[in-house]
Amino acid sequence: MEYTIIEGNYAKIGVSRTADTVYFTFEGEKEQKCAILLYESGSQNPKGSRDSGEDGGKSQGSSRGPVRIPVPDEYCIGALRSVGVKGLKWKKFHYNYEIDGELVFDMHAHKVVGRELWADERRLDGGHPMRAGFDFTEFDWDGDRFPEIPREQMILYKLNVRSFTMDGGAVGKKKGTFAGLMDKIPYLKGLGVTSLELMPVYEFEELLVKEEPKQDVGGWSANAIAGLEKREPEHKPAYKINCWGYGPGDYYAPKAAYSCSSEPSLELKALIRELHRNKLECILEMYFDEKMNQNIAVEILRYWVMEYHVDGFHLLGASLPVNAMAQDLILRRTKLFAEHYGGHLFVQQTAYPHLFIYNEDFLYAARKLLSRADGSIPELLNQLKRQNDIFGFVNFIAGSNGFTLADLFSYTRRHNEANGEENKDGLEWNFSCNGGMEGPSRKRHIIEYRRKQMRNAITLIMVGQGVPLLSAGDEFGNSQQGNNNCYCQDNKTGWVNWGGLKRNPAFVQFVRQMVAFRQAHPILHRGKPMQMCDYEQKGCPDLSYHGESAWIMVPNLYPQAVGILYCGAYEKRPDGTDDDFIYIGLNFHIGQQVLALPKLPGRRRWYLAVDTADKDTPYHEHPPLLEKKHQISIPPQAIVILIGK
């Protein structure tokens, strides 16, 4: 079957197709000799031999090697080369590029061939070459629409597709896959989650190969295009597994090893469609290093929004063009999460705020007080109320970078020996506490202390004005045995252990209740910042602080206890009625503290909703009336929430 070549389509980088023509557009200078290498599906020759294919377009592959299609020098605009191949039977082939005699993988490929199996060791010696695949499969979105959940209603849940679905998270071939995650949607809905944050799901090399001693740099590096040139090592190279995917990636292709089918793109799209049907958002982590072309980084985000209907991105890495991303018109209604934005960013207030600050400021403010590590009440109060007309904020106390929530109150130091780095990797300062014993304990008072601290942490996250973030498994006490850097633990240490659902049903229930409590009280998650004054003449400020005396906080006298009052009249429920008064008593002291209660207007009374020190009933579905009207005793290292109605 003959084919012909024509000048390509420079407007679309990568591979595209119209009618009977496939267009290849890639980076290449006019002075470079470029060619397309076509491999028959199933062919295992990684070399890119030149002994076939230069036949005027009459041959479409042979057992001797790939077809080589030269790209004419004149098919060039700027630093882009582009050629169209008419009559190409693309379903029968995979491809790579050749530039000045070097084999080059298409970093804009929509499908990667050669990484279908997770941690396939054949890639280490070139026995299983990596190539780009054609992905022109159509997907029926069936009228899919972006949920566009307002930021004040969001509950974020961060997970890794593989670790979330391996240890009891899925069955059979669905383990470690998008399909396995799809089966967990009812569970996530029941928890109250609105938005999933997925650690990298684009193609990345999970085999981390130790660099040879002859090189002058040590450590571990990603073998980004393993298998393109056959190596014959004297011995099998040592390697680790990059479970998380941070590092250089093939950003246009979903990870094939996360699919239980031969079409990872369809499986991921089906997952996102099902998430949207359940009013759940899909937020993708995107890690770009300093070498990433910033224009391409913006284009990558556009691609995932338009092709995969992604709702947002958590942007990680160095030299990120966050300002350009924030101002991009296609991304105007896509949620963008970044550690910070540039000082010269000009973003006008829009009807749909979509920018978020995502850093560890809240984490450290809360941890220092919870672990009694020289924390500051004013610092925590500022974090609890932080909100902005343009920027939202993400609040969390535990994440992938550090201890799990359970380990945060079980270990005072990292235990990363299994990572093979002499326990020098991971965070050294965690601001954690163990209750008197390092690691697992059978002592009842230590167990109860740890459970109370976990309830305190969940409560703090749920009463802050920012978006709460839960890390996968924290809701049922998932542990990593003190490893605070599980990037290479592709085993039961790094996997979410779903047995915790049965072991800790009471805590799971408490998390569900606190999520529901937050959602039921809009004053806890306003869309605009608190003014700390009665600017609408409601009778009291929207937010106020209280100490030993009502309306007076004296940090020097009670540096570790404070009462927070939210005036519900400043926010309406969905039925149009005013929200309740919410009083939050925080006590981080080792002893009981007495705080004053402000007088409620009219015939309102205080009712007890939450007491984290109550191991049997920390949450009251039907809050009982509080006997005392003017003060409350907060148990040691506990949080109490009252409802004024």
Side-chain angles (χ1 to χ4, degrees):
M1 181 178 179
E2 295 187 1
Y3 62 83
T4 57
I5 64 171
I6 60 175
E7 191 163 6
N9 177 15
Y10 300 96
K12 191 168 185 179
I13 303 177
V15 172
S16 57
R17 181 172 68 98
T18 58
D20 66 340
T21 303
V22 177
Y23 295 97
F24 299 82
T25 304
F26 57 96
E27 182 178 350
E29 300 289 347
K30 189 174 184 179
E31 293 77 13
Q32 294 177 308
K33 296 300 179 183
C34 303
I36 301 165
L37 304 178
L38 296 174
Y39 308 84
E40 291 181 355
S41 300
S43 169
Q44 293 297 310
N45 186 340
K47 290 285 189 177
S49 304
R50 299 193 185 197
D51 59 352
S52 64
E54 298 188 14
D55 57 359
K58 292 184 172 61
S59 171
Q60 291 221 0
S62 74
S63 60
R64 293 180 296 164
V67 176
R68 183 176 184 277
I69 302 177
V71 178
D73 296 345
E74 60 270 22
Y75 289 1
C76 178
I77 294 181
L80 284 181
R81 306 293 293 271
S82 187
V83 63
V85 183
K86 297 176 67 70
L88 175 64
K89 294 188 178 297
W90 54 269
K91 293 182 180 180
K92 297 182 178 180
F93 295 96
H94 304 143
Y95 73 96
N96 279 319
Y97 294 127
E98 182 187 87
I99 299 179
D100 284 344
E102 296 291 330
L103 205 60
V104 177
F105 181 78
D106 183 8
M107 295 302 179
H108 292 82
H110 294 179
K111 186 175 184 178
V112 174
V113 179
R115 291 206 191 116
E116 293 79 6
L117 296 179
W118 176 263
D120 187 354
E121 295 183 17
R122 291 177 296 174
R123 297 203 299 272
L124 295 176
D125 61 5
H128 200 58
M130 190 180 80
R131 297 165 181 166
F134 298 100
D135 186 2
F136 300 130
T137 53
E138 296 183 358
F139 181 77
D140 182 8
W141 283 101
D142 193 26
D144 178 69
R145 292 292 183 268
F146 298 95
E148 293 190 349
I149 297 170
R151 73 183 186 194
E152 58 267 23
Q153 297 177 15
M154 290 175 62
I155 305 290
L156 266 169
Y157 189 92
K158 180 178 177 177
L159 62 90
N160 175 282
V161 170
R162 180 171 173 81
S163 65
F164 189 68
T165 57
M166 287 297 293
D167 192 8
V171 297
K173 66 178 184 179
K174 289 186 178 181
K175 288 179 178 291
T177 68
F178 300 125
L181 176 55
M182 188 186 300
D183 290 345
K184 287 296 183 184
I185 290 178
Y187 166 79
L188 295 166
K189 284 284 290 183
L191 193 62
V193 170
T194 68
S195 311
L196 295 190
E197 177 185 343
L198 307 185
M199 296 172 75
V201 298
Y202 48 80
E203 272 291 358
F204 59 86
E205 178 53 73
E206 66 270 19
L207 293 176
L208 296 176
V209 183
K210 193 171 184 179
E211 296 178 350
E212 297 297 330
K214 64 182 180 180
Q215 297 177 340
D216 293 331
V217 291
W220 301 81
S221 61
N223 185 9
I225 52 173
L228 291 183
E229 293 189 13
K230 187 175 180 62
R231 297 185 301 162
E232 296 181 358
E234 296 179 0
H235 59 277
K236 181 179 176 180
Y239 67 89
K240 293 184 182 182
I241 296 180
N242 174 16
C243 302
W244 293 348
Y246 301 135
D250 303 306
Y251 296 101
Y252 290 84
K255 187 152 188 61
Y258 284 177
S259 173
C260 61
S261 69
S262 60
E263 297 294 344
S265 64
L266 297 184
E267 191 170 320
L268 178 54
K269 289 175 182 178
L271 167 63
I272 295 175
R273 182 182 61 189
E274 191 64 21
L275 288 172
H276 288 179
R277 286 174 176 172
N278 284 273
K279 306 302 180 184
L280 294 172
E281 294 178 312
C282 181
I283 312 295
L284 299 187
E285 283 193 348
M286 286 285 177
Y287 176 87
F288 299 122
D289 64 21
E290 64 278 0
K291 297 179 182 179
M292 169 58 65
N293 182 302
Q294 296 198 352
N295 293 325
I296 292 178
V298 175
E299 178 58 35
I300 288 170
L301 303 192
R302 291 176 177 173
Y303 169 79
W304 282 93
V305 169
M306 294 185 289
E307 185 67 22
Y308 285 86
H309 292 201
V310 167
D311 301 283
F313 303 96
H314 181 190
L315 304 167
L316 301 169
S319 303
L320 295 171
V322 290
N323 288 12
M325 294 169 175
Q327 295 171 335
D328 187 81
L329 296 181
I330 290 180
L331 303 177
R332 178 63 64 83
R333 300 184 74 85
T334 300
K335 292 174 178 174
L336 301 179
F337 301 80
E339 185 173 358
H340 57 80
Y341 291 86
H344 300 291
L345 173 64
F346 173 77
V347 178
Q348 65 186 45
Q349 189 172 353
T350 62
Y352 182 73
H354 70 123
L355 303 180
F356 296 81
I357 305 295
Y358 192 141
N359 57 36
E360 296 180 336
D361 290 352
F362 184 94
L363 178 149
Y364 285 113
R367 282 191 183 185
K368 288 176 183 179
L369 285 166
L370 289 170
S371 64
R372 296 184 53 76
D374 196 26
S376 164
I377 284 283
E379 179 185 3
L380 177 63
L381 295 179
N382 284 333
Q383 292 301 317
L384 286 170
K385 75 179 180 66
R386 63 176 181 171
Q387 191 60 282
N388 189 286
D389 290 327
I390 294 177
F391 298 110
F393 295 87
V394 178
N395 294 343
F396 61 101
I397 292 178
S400 58
N401 183 30
F403 284 139
T404 67
L405 186 62
D407 288 355
L408 183 63
F409 303 112
S410 300
Y411 298 89
T412 58
R413 59 185 183 275
R414 64 192 176 196
H415 296 268
N416 301 351
E417 291 83 1
N419 294 355
E421 300 177 38
E422 300 179 347
N423 202 33
K424 295 180 180 179
D425 62 304
L427 296 174
E428 182 176 3
W429 300 103
N430 295 278
F431 298 100
S432 59
C433 53
N434 62 18
M437 177 179 290
E438 189 78 354
S441 174
R442 293 184 179 181
K443 295 183 178 180
R444 177 54 55 184
H445 73 279
I446 292 179
I447 293 174
E448 291 302 333
Y449 169 80
R450 292 172 177 178
R451 289 175 177 172
K452 180 180 68 172
Q453 289 292 68
M454 290 170 64
R455 292 192 292 267
N456 286 337
I458 291 296
T459 302
L460 284 177
I461 293 170
M462 293 302 163
V463 298
Q465 291 295 308
V467 176
L469 168 68
L470 300 173
S471 289
D474 277 351
E475 71 275 14
F476 49 73
N478 185 65
S479 173
Q480 294 173 171
Q481 293 77 57
N483 191 316
N484 72 356
N485 189 30
C486 271
Y487 77 98
C488 60
Q489 295 301 315
D490 184 37
N491 48 45
K492 289 184 178 294
T493 298
W495 299 339
V496 173
N497 183 351
W498 285 88
L501 271 177
K502 295 182 179 179
R503 291 192 299 270
N504 301 303
F507 186 63
V508 176
Q509 178 67 4
F510 180 76
V511 174
R512 290 194 181 110
Q513 290 169 331
M514 287 307 303
V515 170
F517 181 80
R518 176 185 176 85
Q519 299 293 51
H521 292 284
I523 192 64
L524 294 177
H525 49 86
R526 305 188 71 202
K528 52 187 178 181
M530 294 288 184
Q531 302 297 316
M532 300 194 71
C533 63
D534 189 13
Y535 57 94
E536 291 185 4
Q537 299 180 346
K538 301 290 186 179
C540 69
D542 53 3
L543 170 65
S544 56
Y545 302 135
H546 307 267
E548 183 181 36
S549 301
W551 308 104
I552 300 174
M553 184 184 73
V554 186
N556 292 332
L557 294 180
Y558 290 98
Q560 294 181 310
V562 67
I564 303 171
L565 178 64
Y566 287 119
C567 178
Y570 272 89
E571 200 64 47
K572 300 290 185 181
R573 297 188 181 95
D575 63 3
T577 60
D578 289 348
D579 197 0
D580 301 316
F581 285 85
I582 304 293
Y583 180 93
I584 304 163
L586 306 177
N587 180 17
F588 299 101
H589 196 269
I590 58 174
Q592 179 176 283
Q593 297 291 317
V594 176
L595 296 173
L597 292 176
K599 183 179 180 181
L600 291 169
R603 303 181 64 181
R604 292 180 174 87
R605 296 289 301 275
W606 289 115
Y607 295 80
L608 178 63
V610 176
D611 181 356
T612 62
D614 188 337
K615 62 183 176 59
D616 297 319
T617 312
Y619 182 90
H620 294 275
E621 294 285 355
H622 303 287
L625 179 67
L626 196 70
E627 294 183 2
K628 294 184 178 181
K629 298 181 181 180
H630 306 299
Q631 66 179 24
I632 183 172
S633 296
I634 312 295
Q637 293 180 278
I639 300 174
V640 171
I641 299 179
L642 307 178
I643 298 176
K645 60 181 180 178

